[in-house]
Amino acid sequence: MGRRIDLSGAEIRADHGDGSPPIFLPRQPAASPLLALDIGGTLIKLVYTASCGGEEELRFAKFERRRLDDCFDFVRAQGLLGCNGTTTGSSKENMTLKATGGGSYKFGDDFRQKLGVSLDKLDEMDSVVSGANFLLQNVPGAAFTHMSGKMNSIDISPDNLFPYLLVNIGSGVSILKVTGNGKFERVTGTHIGGGTMFGLAKLLTGCKSYDEFLQLSQKGDNFVLDLVVKDICGELACQKQGLSTSTLASSFGKVITSMKKLADYKPEDLASALLSAFTYNIAQISFLVASLLGLRRVFFGGSYIRGHKSTMDNISYALNFWSESQMQASFLQHEGYLGALGALMSYGDPRDENLNLEESQEENSHEAAGPTDVTSADEHNDSNIFPYLLVNIGSGVSMIEVIGKGKFERIIGSHLGGGTILGLARLLTGCSSYEEFLDLSRRGDNLAVDLTVGDIYGERGYPKIGLPASTTAASFGKVNSGKLSEYKAEDLAAALLNSFTYNIGQIAYFVANLSGLKRIFFRGAYVCGHEKTMDKISRSLKYWSKGEVQTTFLCHEGFLGTLGAFWSYENMGIDGLASHEVIREVLLGAPYTGQFPSSPLTREQENV
């Protein structure tokens, strides 16, 4: 059966400031080292045992996946090719290492040829959950909160740990509901993750490493590029309505009206805008998923957090804001090594066998590989139109629940809207209008820059959780160079349109689901009249809702709906909203605090 790791008495005795201090194992007997790896889309993470002052400890190391030979050199130099408790004989060819992540399939031959070892492949989600549970149940001080620059350790009783939501931020993002040891479900994910941030950071700032990007973001000012509430309403109007003037309305939204080109912006400001845009988005999706599942405890892990203060502060602030202080973001000391830790814990576990990617697919079918075509038989008329979700896509995105004529309230908004798409498009492609951007996107191939599940796991994809090889894992995750000239403007435009329209569709579905709504209407200058934009959003909604949510686009009053109904703002109950000045406040398309002014057209309570 091999050696098992004795976890009793495990503790962190010192933090070297990198977020991954050694974990001492005072009751682990000294022996040859154990090594486990997590080979992801961009990084290789290693966890291994080593002796220190007569005691055993877990140590951590990471390498960029493109520097695989450096990883091999490190393994040899550290003497980590001991028996690992897994040899079946004296021959070196029988030596195996525990490994997880998509790269364990792609690079198995490299390990065999360069190190003379085989990889015992473990399921990635199983390993991530196992690693998180190990830290939370066995290592005091492993979990903490980080708000306004202050880190506070939290103690969690193992008896009161489950259930919780685990948001794992890698190249993409996986969101898992964990209900016990070895008991979990991957409920959803998003392709806008660390790989997206890093890919765009390379193109916009020329940075060569993710750590360099994070350092740049610390020195920058995102408000140089981001549109805030004050820019839309004016400071006086904000004061009258009790709105925060500095609340983010549209990431990169100021670029639309600026005459500046990419070279005119500071790399630091670009990095800061990227970090805030995507960390807030990840936090918002996490909030919506946790709300749908009735969970209040949310842990964030993954190699793209890196113990970075602004990253954790952004996530903490956003989750606290949207949940109205009902949820708190928690982080882990070794957040980037959850998969490798889980793989290491499997040594000596007789239940663990070499993984077949297709096993247990039925048990993890919550997220299907694609949508099914469902045609609603619902008739459109005044009596059954309400309630519905109205999604307005302007510079940002606003989502409004309409329950009757003149009765509506803004539920939530997103700062990743049309202003973000066009702002980034101008920086990346030099286009001068939204129409030019859309024309570019029609001629482009997003797969030239987007990382797919197949790029990580191979041609079989990840069928255990219903993800075919063609599924986008990380938008812009395939970008390796910081030279814009090496990429076609058409491909960059296609990737931008794909990433943000699918994100809008996903958030709209979650909001509709949370509010119990089956009908969604989209309107706004960035969507209506643009066939490809509408098609992308429709596909996104069909995918996420499995065809159960009806999607209609309102391009103007009298628009002919999908089933032939004549829609008017009057019979939809929004005629006053469409013409009244209050549209500027209600349809800002961003989360903000404060009350709306008294108006017969709105409810007073703001639910962000």
Side-chain angles (χ1 to χ4, degrees):
M1 183 173 72
R3 289 195 298 142
R4 301 193 67 175
I5 296 179
D6 190 339
L7 305 176
S8 54
E11 63 176 327
I12 299 171
R13 294 181 182 174
D15 190 344
H16 300 313
D18 61 357
S20 302
I23 297 177
F24 284 85
L25 304 173
R27 296 181 177 84
Q28 174 74 8
S32 56
L34 293 174
L35 167 66
L37 307 97
D38 178 3
I39 310 173
T42 52
L43 291 174
I44 304 171
K45 287 81 67 177
L46 291 76
V47 180
Y48 58 97
T49 59
S51 296
C52 179
E55 291 182 321
E56 292 290 291
E57 65 181 19
L58 296 182
R59 294 180 183 173
F60 304 84
K62 65 176 182 287
F63 299 88
E64 291 184 43
R65 200 173 84 166
R66 61 190 178 92
R67 300 187 180 279
L68 191 59
D69 286 338
D70 291 346
C71 176
F72 293 153
D73 291 342
F74 178 84
V75 170
R76 296 189 194 96
Q78 296 295 318
L80 300 180
L81 293 177
C83 71
N84 271 293
T86 60
T87 52
T88 56
S90 58
S91 173
K92 187 177 180 180
E93 283 72 19
N94 293 322
M95 189 184 303
T96 61
L97 298 176
K98 299 287 186 179
T100 189
S104 62
Y105 295 87
K106 294 194 70 171
F107 298 106
D109 289 342
D110 293 88
F111 277 83
R112 188 177 298 107
Q113 294 169 8
K114 299 291 182 65
L115 294 181
V117 299
S118 299
L119 297 182
D120 183 8
K121 306 172 188 68
L122 308 173
D123 178 68
E124 183 175 359
M125 297 297 114
D126 288 340
S127 298
V128 166
V129 171
S130 178
N133 284 344
F134 155 68
L135 290 173
L136 292 168
Q137 293 176 312
N138 296 281
V139 184
F144 63 93
T145 61
H146 203 286
M147 192 78 165
S148 301
K150 296 180 180 179
M151 173 181 172
N152 293 302
S153 295
I154 54 177
D155 292 324
I156 301 173
S157 169
D159 298 328
N160 191 37
L161 174 60
F162 307 109
Y164 67 84
L165 195 71
L166 178 60
V167 182
N168 195 53
I169 307 173
S171 297
V173 180
S174 283
I175 302 179
L176 309 130
K177 178 184 179 182
V178 184
T179 55
N181 289 320
K183 299 177 181 178
F184 68 93
E185 176 187 14
R186 184 186 186 275
V187 291
T188 192
T190 171
H191 54 274
I192 295 182
T196 311
M197 282 190 280
F198 190 25
L200 286 172
K202 291 175 187 175
L203 295 173
L204 294 174
T205 73
C207 67
K208 293 180 172 57
S209 71
Y210 192 72
D211 290 323
E212 181 185 351
F213 158 66
L214 293 176
Q215 292 170 4
L216 285 171
S217 71
Q218 289 291 103
K219 307 170 187 175
D221 180 6
N222 64 293
F223 292 141
V224 172
L225 298 102
D226 291 348
L227 195 69
V228 296
V229 170
K230 180 178 68 173
D231 300 320
I232 300 174
C233 290
E235 191 164 353
L236 182 60
C238 289
Q239 291 174 356
K240 287 182 179 180
Q241 298 164 32
L243 304 179
S244 171
T245 59
S246 61
T247 300
L248 184 60
S250 176
S251 293
F252 293 91
K254 281 183 182 174
V255 178
I256 302 173
T257 56
S258 173
M259 299 300 292
K260 293 181 178 180
K261 297 181 179 180
L262 177 58
D264 298 324
Y265 290 98
K266 294 180 180 179
E268 294 85 350
D269 297 336
L270 292 162
S272 180
L274 282 172
L275 186 70
S276 62
F278 296 120
T279 50
Y280 286 151
N281 189 70
I282 291 169
Q284 182 175 43
I285 291 176
S286 301
F287 156 69
L288 291 170
V289 174
S291 298
L292 283 167
L293 297 175
L295 301 176
R296 291 291 177 264
R297 181 173 288 146
V298 185
F299 290 96
F300 290 85
S303 57
Y304 281 88
I305 296 178
R306 306 279 177 97
H308 185 244
K309 293 181 179 180
S310 293
T311 299
M312 294 185 290
D313 276 353
N314 286 353
I315 291 173
S316 296
Y317 167 77
L319 189 64
N320 181 73
F321 177 82
W322 276 303
S323 71
E324 298 180 341
S325 302
Q326 296 303 303
M327 298 180 194
Q328 187 178 49
S330 300
F331 304 91
L332 298 169
Q333 285 270 14
H334 303 80
E335 76 280 295
Y337 295 91
L338 301 183
L341 276 168
L344 193 75
M345 296 304 114
S346 71
Y347 278 110
D349 188 344
R351 297 171 298 173
D352 191 72
E353 298 178 355
N354 200 44
L355 173 73
N356 178 349
L357 273 177
E358 300 182 6
E359 66 187 14
S360 302
Q361 184 174 354
E362 299 82 5
E363 299 175 7
N364 293 278
S365 58
H366 180 88
E367 184 174 323
T372 56
D373 289 325
V374 177
T375 301
S376 173
D378 192 19
E379 294 295 330
H380 293 187
N381 56 56
D382 285 1
S383 62
N384 69 5
I385 186 175
F386 306 110
Y388 65 86
L389 185 68
L390 176 65
V391 181
N392 189 78
I393 304 176
S395 293
V397 181
S398 268
M399 300 188 187
I400 302 161
E401 181 180 5
V402 183
I403 62 173
K405 292 188 176 182
K407 298 177 182 179
F408 51 83
E409 69 173 326
R410 181 178 182 280
I411 303 174
I412 202 168
S414 171
H415 55 284
L416 299 185
T420 311
I421 299 174
L422 183 54
L424 284 170
R426 286 195 170 183
L427 295 173
L428 292 172
T429 72
C431 65
S432 58
S433 68
Y434 191 60
E435 288 71 20
E436 183 183 350
F437 159 69
L438 290 176
D439 184 59
L440 285 171
S441 71
R442 291 187 190 98
R443 294 182 274 120
D445 179 8
N446 66 289
L447 295 182
V449 292
D450 287 350
L451 189 72
T452 67
V453 172
D455 293 326
I456 300 173
Y457 286 94
E459 61 183 14
R460 290 181 299 172
Y462 197 166
K464 182 176 179 180
I465 58 175
L467 296 179
S470 59
T471 303
T472 301
S475 295
F476 293 92
K478 206 181 286 183
V479 173
N480 291 317
S481 170
K483 295 181 179 179
L484 269 176
S485 58
E486 296 185 10
Y487 298 92
K488 294 181 180 179
E490 293 85 349
D491 297 337
L492 296 172
L496 279 174
L497 186 67
N498 189 70
S499 61
F500 289 106
T501 50
Y502 271 77
N503 187 68
I504 291 169
Q506 182 180 32
I507 293 176
Y509 165 66
F510 287 149
V511 172
N513 198 358
L514 193 58
S515 302
L517 304 174
K518 293 293 185 181
R519 182 180 286 120
I520 303 178
F521 290 91
F522 288 86
R523 68 176 294 243
Y526 285 92
V527 57
C528 290
H530 302 295
E531 183 178 349
K532 187 163 185 178
T533 306
M534 293 189 288
D535 179 65
K536 290 283 186 181
I537 291 175
S538 296
R539 289 175 180 271
S540 175
L541 260 297
K542 290 184 73 174
Y543 175 83
W544 294 111
S545 73
K546 299 178 176 64
E548 295 179 0
V549 172
Q550 177 185 304
T551 306
T552 306
F553 296 90
L554 294 170
C555 295
H556 51 75
E557 187 170 16
F559 176 78
L560 202 61
T562 53
L563 297 184
F566 181 83
W567 296 110
S568 72
Y569 290 149
E570 182 179 1
N571 65 30
M572 291 187 67
I574 59 170
D575 53 323
L577 172 63
S579 61
H580 198 276
E581 178 65 13
V582 76
I583 194 171
R584 286 214 307 167
E585 291 84 37
V586 178
L587 300 183
L588 283 175
Y592 54 86
T593 58
Q595 300 284 330
F596 289 126
S598 297
S599 167
L601 297 177
T602 66
R603 294 189 204 170
E604 294 288 321
Q605 181 63 42
E606 164 74 63
N607 290 325
V608 179

